[in-house]
Amino acid sequence: MGAQLRVYKRRIRSVTATKKITKAMEMIAASRVIKAQRKVAASTPYAAELTRAVTAVGTGSNTRHPLTTQAETVTRSAVLLLTSDRGLAGAFNSNAIKAAEQLTARLEREGQEVEIYVVGRRGVAHYNFRERKIAESWSGFTDEPTYADAKKVAGPLIEAIEKDTAEGGVDELHIVFTEFVSMMTQTALDDRLLPLSLEEVAKEAAPKGEILPLYDFEPSAEDVLDALLPRYVESRIYNALLQSAASKHAATRRAMKSATDNAGELITTLSRLANAARQAEITQEISEIVGGSAALADATAGSDR
């Protein structure tokens, strides 16, 4: 019984130490997600207005441009997957990877060759473990991405979309990321960045009663679109990186809260078992004392006779 009690006490100390760690990680994630939410709120209007401006230029001109013109035959596409560098975030990474796998399978069924670009060590590890080719990868900034990080990611993608497919370029650019809906809800999404679907943007603006402005282009609409292309891609990727970071922190907070609660329940269960073992040990000691006393009393009575 004494050995069993020591085992329970050792496990209680271990679980208590783990609970302190998970509680600290929960508090850190809670503070980080608030900062990430503010950054998302600050970047979203810029990305939305830039998309609106590109749509206005595209609908106001007949210029064929990779930003707004769909290729007649799509043969190659690029998929950018956003994951995190670290785990302990529940199903955050697995949901994003699953969405990317489903998108890749759909594009391949349509006869397209898919180039995979990955942000985050978890996504890179997934593809490396399965020995699948990655065109390019980035890591080390997923918790707190900056606009410079977005530019670094956007560079190779812009080069790929500007190249002809015969030279290794792509016709479409897709992004898979986790949208931050609320502290309890984060949704893995896939979105086509390029070419921009003018019809879809127009449909989104119609219910709001928005009217796209008319522009005169100097020197030309093509030059304007050339200038907008990198800014559009960078702003959309930056917003997606911020959405993904906020979602990751929220998922980490929820996972660590669940771990802390489970640790508390386990400590309660172990404490009850330890109390039961201690009571059993005390009962056994009392029984031994009573038994020894009775044996001694019987021996004394026998000697008196």
Short mmCIF file of all heavy atoms in Angstrom, two decimals, residues 237-284:
data_model
loop_
_atom_site.label_atom_id
_atom_site.label_comp_id
_atom_site.label_asym_id
_atom_site.label_seq_id
_atom_site.Cartn_x
_atom_site.Cartn_y
_atom_site.Cartn_z
N ILE A 237 -2.02 38.09 -49.24
CA ILE A 237 -1.24 37.10 -48.50
C ILE A 237 -0.99 37.57 -47.08
O ILE A 237 -1.06 36.78 -46.13
CB ILE A 237 0.09 36.81 -49.23
CG1 ILE A 237 -0.18 36.05 -50.54
CG2 ILE A 237 1.04 36.00 -48.34
CD1 ILE A 237 1.07 35.78 -51.36
N TYR A 238 -0.72 38.87 -46.91
CA TYR A 238 -0.50 39.41 -45.57
C TYR A 238 -1.74 39.25 -44.71
O TYR A 238 -1.67 38.83 -43.54
CB TYR A 238 -0.12 40.88 -45.67
CG TYR A 238 0.13 41.55 -44.34
CD1 TYR A 238 1.03 41.01 -43.42
CD2 TYR A 238 -0.53 42.73 -43.99
CE1 TYR A 238 1.26 41.62 -42.20
CE2 TYR A 238 -0.30 43.35 -42.78
CZ TYR A 238 0.60 42.78 -41.88
OH TYR A 238 0.82 43.39 -40.66
N ASN A 239 -2.91 39.56 -45.28
CA ASN A 239 -4.15 39.39 -44.53
C ASN A 239 -4.39 37.93 -44.18
O ASN A 239 -4.82 37.61 -43.06
CB ASN A 239 -5.32 39.94 -45.34
CG ASN A 239 -6.64 39.87 -44.59
OD1 ASN A 239 -7.46 38.99 -44.83
ND2 ASN A 239 -6.86 40.80 -43.67
N ALA A 240 -4.08 37.02 -45.12
CA ALA A 240 -4.25 35.59 -44.85
C ALA A 240 -3.29 35.12 -43.77
O ALA A 240 -3.65 34.29 -42.92
CB ALA A 240 -4.04 34.80 -46.14
N LEU A 241 -2.05 35.63 -43.78
CA LEU A 241 -1.08 35.27 -42.74
C LEU A 241 -1.58 35.73 -41.37
O LEU A 241 -1.45 35.00 -40.37
CB LEU A 241 0.28 35.91 -43.04
CG LEU A 241 1.12 35.27 -44.15
CD1 LEU A 241 2.32 36.15 -44.48
CD2 LEU A 241 1.59 33.88 -43.74
N LEU A 242 -2.14 36.93 -41.30
CA LEU A 242 -2.66 37.43 -40.03
C LEU A 242 -3.88 36.62 -39.58
O LEU A 242 -4.02 36.32 -38.38
CB LEU A 242 -3.03 38.91 -40.18
CG LEU A 242 -1.88 39.89 -40.40
CD1 LEU A 242 -2.41 41.30 -40.62
CD2 LEU A 242 -0.90 39.87 -39.23
N GLN A 243 -4.76 36.28 -40.52
CA GLN A 243 -5.91 35.45 -40.18
C GLN A 243 -5.45 34.10 -39.64
O GLN A 243 -5.99 33.59 -38.64
CB GLN A 243 -6.78 35.23 -41.43
CG GLN A 243 -7.43 36.48 -41.96
CD GLN A 243 -8.86 36.65 -41.48
OE1 GLN A 243 -9.32 35.91 -40.61
NE2 GLN A 243 -9.56 37.63 -42.03
N SER A 244 -4.45 33.53 -40.30
CA SER A 244 -3.93 32.23 -39.87
C SER A 244 -3.29 32.32 -38.49
O SER A 244 -3.47 31.42 -37.66
CB SER A 244 -2.92 31.72 -40.91
OG SER A 244 -2.42 30.45 -40.56
N ALA A 245 -2.53 33.40 -38.24
CA ALA A 245 -1.88 33.56 -36.93
C ALA A 245 -2.92 33.71 -35.83
O ALA A 245 -2.80 33.09 -34.76
CB ALA A 245 -0.95 34.78 -36.97
N ALA A 246 -3.95 34.53 -36.07
CA ALA A 246 -5.00 34.70 -35.07
C ALA A 246 -5.72 33.38 -34.81
O ALA A 246 -6.04 33.03 -33.66
CB ALA A 246 -5.99 35.77 -35.53
N SER A 247 -5.98 32.63 -35.87
CA SER A 247 -6.65 31.34 -35.73
C SER A 247 -5.79 30.36 -34.95
O SER A 247 -6.30 29.60 -34.11
CB SER A 247 -6.98 30.76 -37.11
OG SER A 247 -7.84 31.61 -37.83
N LYS A 248 -4.49 30.38 -35.22
CA LYS A 248 -3.59 29.47 -34.51
C LYS A 248 -3.56 29.77 -33.03
O LYS A 248 -3.61 28.87 -32.19
CB LYS A 248 -2.19 29.56 -35.12
CG LYS A 248 -1.22 28.50 -34.63
CD LYS A 248 -0.42 28.94 -33.43
CE LYS A 248 0.52 27.85 -32.94
NZ LYS A 248 1.23 28.25 -31.71
N HIS A 249 -3.46 31.05 -32.66
CA HIS A 249 -3.44 31.41 -31.24
C HIS A 249 -4.75 31.05 -30.56
O HIS A 249 -4.76 30.59 -29.41
CB HIS A 249 -3.15 32.90 -31.09
CG HIS A 249 -1.78 33.31 -31.56
ND1 HIS A 249 -0.66 32.58 -31.24
CD2 HIS A 249 -1.35 34.37 -32.30
CE1 HIS A 249 0.41 33.17 -31.77
NE2 HIS A 249 0.00 34.24 -32.42
N ALA A 250 -5.87 31.27 -31.26
CA ALA A 250 -7.17 30.90 -30.68
C ALA A 250 -7.27 29.39 -30.50
O ALA A 250 -7.79 28.91 -29.47
CB ALA A 250 -8.29 31.40 -31.58
N ALA A 251 -6.77 28.62 -31.48
CA ALA A 251 -6.80 27.16 -31.37
C ALA A 251 -5.88 26.69 -30.24
O ALA A 251 -6.22 25.76 -29.50
CB ALA A 251 -6.38 26.53 -32.69
N THR A 252 -4.73 27.34 -30.09
CA THR A 252 -3.81 26.99 -29.00
C THR A 252 -4.45 27.28 -27.65
O THR A 252 -4.36 26.47 -26.71
CB THR A 252 -2.50 27.76 -29.14
OG1 THR A 252 -1.85 27.38 -30.36
CG2 THR A 252 -1.56 27.46 -27.98
N ARG A 253 -5.10 28.44 -27.54
CA ARG A 253 -5.77 28.79 -26.28
C ARG A 253 -6.83 27.76 -25.93
O ARG A 253 -6.93 27.31 -24.78
CB ARG A 253 -6.39 30.17 -26.39
CG ARG A 253 -7.20 30.60 -25.17
CD ARG A 253 -7.88 31.93 -25.40
NE ARG A 253 -8.76 32.27 -24.28
CZ ARG A 253 -10.02 31.84 -24.16
NH1 ARG A 253 -10.54 31.05 -25.09
NH2 ARG A 253 -10.75 32.18 -23.12
N ARG A 254 -7.62 27.37 -26.93
CA ARG A 254 -8.68 26.39 -26.67
C ARG A 254 -8.08 25.03 -26.30
O ARG A 254 -8.57 24.35 -25.39
CB ARG A 254 -9.56 26.26 -27.90
CG ARG A 254 -10.83 25.47 -27.67
CD ARG A 254 -11.81 25.63 -28.82
NE ARG A 254 -11.28 25.12 -30.07
CZ ARG A 254 -10.91 25.90 -31.08
NH1 ARG A 254 -11.03 27.21 -30.99
NH2 ARG A 254 -10.44 25.38 -32.19
N ALA A 255 -7.02 24.62 -27.00
CA ALA A 255 -6.40 23.32 -26.71
C ALA A 255 -5.75 23.32 -25.33
O ALA A 255 -5.86 22.33 -24.58
CB ALA A 255 -5.36 23.00 -27.79
N MET A 256 -5.09 24.42 -24.97
CA MET A 256 -4.44 24.48 -23.66
C MET A 256 -5.46 24.57 -22.53
O MET A 256 -5.24 24.03 -21.44
CB MET A 256 -3.49 25.68 -23.61
CG MET A 256 -2.27 25.55 -24.51
SD MET A 256 -1.26 24.10 -24.13
CE MET A 256 -1.81 22.94 -25.41
N LYS A 257 -6.59 25.23 -22.77
CA LYS A 257 -7.65 25.27 -21.75
C LYS A 257 -8.21 23.87 -21.53
O LYS A 257 -8.45 23.45 -20.39
CB LYS A 257 -8.76 26.22 -22.17
CG LYS A 257 -9.84 26.40 -21.09
CD LYS A 257 -10.93 27.35 -21.53
CE LYS A 257 -11.90 27.64 -20.39
NZ LYS A 257 -12.47 26.40 -19.79
N SER A 258 -8.40 23.13 -22.63
CA SER A 258 -8.89 21.76 -22.50
C SER A 258 -7.88 20.89 -21.76
O SER A 258 -8.26 20.08 -20.90
CB SER A 258 -9.15 21.18 -23.89
OG SER A 258 -9.57 19.84 -23.81
N ALA A 259 -6.59 21.09 -22.06
CA ALA A 259 -5.56 20.31 -21.37
C ALA A 259 -5.51 20.66 -19.88
O ALA A 259 -5.33 19.78 -19.03
CB ALA A 259 -4.20 20.57 -22.02
N THR A 260 -5.66 21.95 -19.57
CA THR A 260 -5.66 22.38 -18.16
C THR A 260 -6.84 21.78 -17.41
O THR A 260 -6.70 21.30 -16.28
CB THR A 260 -5.70 23.91 -18.08
OG1 THR A 260 -4.57 24.46 -18.77
CG2 THR A 260 -5.66 24.38 -16.63
N ASP A 261 -8.03 21.81 -18.04
CA ASP A 261 -9.22 21.23 -17.40
C ASP A 261 -9.05 19.73 -17.19
O ASP A 261 -9.41 19.18 -16.14
CB ASP A 261 -10.45 21.51 -18.25
CG ASP A 261 -10.79 23.00 -18.31
OD1 ASP A 261 -10.30 23.74 -17.44
OD2 ASP A 261 -11.53 23.40 -19.23
N ASN A 262 -8.50 19.06 -18.21
CA ASN A 262 -8.29 17.61 -18.08
C ASN A 262 -7.27 17.28 -16.99
O ASN A 262 -7.44 16.30 -16.25
CB ASN A 262 -7.82 17.03 -19.41
CG ASN A 262 -8.90 17.06 -20.48
OD1 ASN A 262 -10.08 17.11 -20.16
ND2 ASN A 262 -8.50 17.02 -21.74
N ALA A 263 -6.25 18.13 -16.88
CA ALA A 263 -5.25 17.92 -15.82
C ALA A 263 -5.89 18.09 -14.45
O ALA A 263 -5.61 17.33 -13.51
CB ALA A 263 -4.09 18.90 -15.99
N GLY A 264 -6.77 19.09 -14.30
CA GLY A 264 -7.47 19.28 -13.04
C GLY A 264 -8.33 18.08 -12.67
O GLY A 264 -8.35 17.65 -11.51
N GLU A 265 -9.04 17.53 -13.67
CA GLU A 265 -9.87 16.35 -13.41
C GLU A 265 -9.01 15.15 -13.03
O GLU A 265 -9.37 14.35 -12.14
CB GLU A 265 -10.71 16.03 -14.64
CG GLU A 265 -11.77 17.09 -14.96
CD GLU A 265 -12.51 16.78 -16.24
OE1 GLU A 265 -12.23 15.71 -16.84
OE2 GLU A 265 -13.37 17.59 -16.65
N LEU A 266 -7.85 15.01 -13.71
CA LEU A 266 -6.96 13.89 -13.40
C LEU A 266 -6.38 14.02 -11.99
O LEU A 266 -6.26 13.02 -11.27
CB LEU A 266 -5.84 13.82 -14.44
CG LEU A 266 -4.85 12.67 -14.30
CD1 LEU A 266 -5.57 11.33 -14.31
CD2 LEU A 266 -3.81 12.73 -15.42
N ILE A 267 -6.04 15.25 -11.60
CA ILE A 267 -5.52 15.47 -10.25
C ILE A 267 -6.58 15.09 -9.21
O ILE A 267 -6.28 14.47 -8.18
CB ILE A 267 -5.08 16.94 -10.08
CG1 ILE A 267 -3.81 17.20 -10.90
CG2 ILE A 267 -4.82 17.27 -8.61
CD1 ILE A 267 -3.42 18.66 -10.97
N THR A 268 -7.84 15.47 -9.46
CA THR A 268 -8.92 15.11 -8.54
C THR A 268 -9.07 13.59 -8.42
O THR A 268 -9.20 13.05 -7.31
CB THR A 268 -10.25 15.72 -9.03
OG1 THR A 268 -10.12 17.14 -9.09
CG2 THR A 268 -11.39 15.37 -8.08
N THR A 269 -9.03 12.92 -9.56
CA THR A 269 -9.15 11.45 -9.55
C THR A 269 -7.98 10.81 -8.81
O THR A 269 -8.18 9.89 -7.98
CB THR A 269 -9.21 10.92 -10.99
OG1 THR A 269 -10.33 11.50 -11.66
CG2 THR A 269 -9.35 9.41 -11.01
N LEU A 270 -6.75 11.28 -9.08
CA LEU A 270 -5.57 10.72 -8.42
C LEU A 270 -5.59 11.00 -6.92
O LEU A 270 -5.16 10.17 -6.12
CB LEU A 270 -4.30 11.27 -9.06
CG LEU A 270 -3.99 10.80 -10.49
CD1 LEU A 270 -2.81 11.56 -11.06
CD2 LEU A 270 -3.74 9.31 -10.53
N SER A 271 -6.09 12.18 -6.55
CA SER A 271 -6.18 12.52 -5.12
C SER A 271 -7.14 11.58 -4.41
O SER A 271 -6.86 11.13 -3.27
CB SER A 271 -6.63 13.97 -4.95
OG SER A 271 -5.68 14.86 -5.52
N ARG A 272 -8.25 11.27 -5.04
CA ARG A 272 -9.20 10.33 -4.44
C ARG A 272 -8.57 8.95 -4.30
O ARG A 272 -8.73 8.28 -3.27
CB ARG A 272 -10.46 10.25 -5.29
CG ARG A 272 -11.32 11.51 -5.23
CD ARG A 272 -12.45 11.45 -6.22
NE ARG A 272 -13.29 12.65 -6.17
CZ ARG A 272 -14.22 12.96 -7.06
NH1 ARG A 272 -14.43 12.12 -8.09
NH2 ARG A 272 -14.93 14.06 -6.95
N LEU A 273 -7.85 8.51 -5.32
CA LEU A 273 -7.20 7.20 -5.25
C LEU A 273 -6.12 7.19 -4.17
O LEU A 273 -5.96 6.20 -3.45
CB LEU A 273 -6.59 6.85 -6.61
CG LEU A 273 -7.59 6.58 -7.74
CD1 LEU A 273 -6.85 6.41 -9.06
CD2 LEU A 273 -8.43 5.35 -7.44
N ALA A 274 -5.38 8.32 -4.06
CA ALA A 274 -4.34 8.41 -3.03
C ALA A 274 -4.96 8.38 -1.64
O ALA A 274 -4.43 7.73 -0.72
CB ALA A 274 -3.52 9.68 -3.23
N ASN A 275 -6.08 9.08 -1.47
CA ASN A 275 -6.77 9.07 -0.16
C ASN A 275 -7.26 7.66 0.18
O ASN A 275 -7.15 7.20 1.32
CB ASN A 275 -7.94 10.04 -0.18
CG ASN A 275 -7.49 11.49 -0.22
OD1 ASN A 275 -6.37 11.79 0.20
ND2 ASN A 275 -8.34 12.37 -0.71
N ALA A 276 -7.80 6.99 -0.84
CA ALA A 276 -8.28 5.62 -0.61
C ALA A 276 -7.12 4.70 -0.24
O ALA A 276 -7.24 3.85 0.66
CB ALA A 276 -8.99 5.10 -1.85
N ALA A 277 -5.97 4.87 -0.92
CA ALA A 277 -4.80 4.04 -0.60
C ALA A 277 -4.29 4.35 0.80
O ALA A 277 -3.89 3.42 1.54
CB ALA A 277 -3.70 4.29 -1.64
N ARG A 278 -4.29 5.63 1.19
CA ARG A 278 -3.84 5.99 2.53
C ARG A 278 -4.79 5.44 3.60
O ARG A 278 -4.35 4.93 4.63
CB ARG A 278 -3.73 7.51 2.65
CG ARG A 278 -3.14 7.97 4.01
CD ARG A 278 -2.79 9.43 4.02
NE ARG A 278 -3.96 10.27 3.76
CZ ARG A 278 -4.16 10.95 2.64
NH1 ARG A 278 -3.28 10.87 1.66
NH2 ARG A 278 -5.23 11.71 2.49
N GLN A 279 -6.08 5.52 3.35
CA GLN A 279 -7.04 4.97 4.30
C GLN A 279 -6.90 3.45 4.42
O GLN A 279 -6.98 2.90 5.52
CB GLN A 279 -8.46 5.32 3.86
CG GLN A 279 -8.79 6.80 4.01
CD GLN A 279 -10.11 7.17 3.36
OE1 GLN A 279 -10.80 6.30 2.81
NE2 GLN A 279 -10.48 8.44 3.43
N ALA A 280 -6.64 2.81 3.28
CA ALA A 280 -6.45 1.35 3.32
C ALA A 280 -5.18 1.01 4.10
O ALA A 280 -5.16 0.03 4.87
CB ALA A 280 -6.36 0.81 1.90
N GLU A 281 -4.14 1.85 3.92
CA GLU A 281 -2.90 1.62 4.66
C GLU A 281 -3.11 1.80 6.15
O GLU A 281 -2.63 0.99 6.97
CB GLU A 281 -1.82 2.56 4.14
CG GLU A 281 -0.45 2.36 4.78
CD GLU A 281 0.59 3.31 4.23
OE1 GLU A 281 0.25 4.11 3.34
OE2 GLU A 281 1.74 3.25 4.68
N ILE A 282 -3.84 2.85 6.53
CA ILE A 282 -4.12 3.10 7.95
C ILE A 282 -4.96 1.95 8.54
O ILE A 282 -4.71 1.47 9.66
CB ILE A 282 -4.84 4.45 8.13
CG1 ILE A 282 -3.90 5.60 7.74
CG2 ILE A 282 -5.35 4.63 9.55
CD1 ILE A 282 -4.58 6.96 7.68
N THR A 283 -5.98 1.53 7.76
CA THR A 283 -6.83 0.42 8.23
C THR A 283 -6.00 -0.84 8.45
O THR A 283 -6.18 -1.58 9.43
CB THR A 283 -7.94 0.16 7.22
OG1 THR A 283 -8.72 1.34 7.04
CG2 THR A 283 -8.86 -0.98 7.69
N GLN A 284 -5.08 -1.08 7.50
CA GLN A 284 -4.24 -2.28 7.64
C GLN A 284 -3.35 -2.18 8.88
O GLN A 284 -3.18 -3.17 9.61
CB GLN A 284 -3.39 -2.47 6.38
CG GLN A 284 -2.53 -3.73 6.40
CD GLN A 284 -1.74 -3.89 5.13
OE1 GLN A 284 -1.89 -3.11 4.19
NE2 GLN A 284 -0.90 -4.91 5.08
#
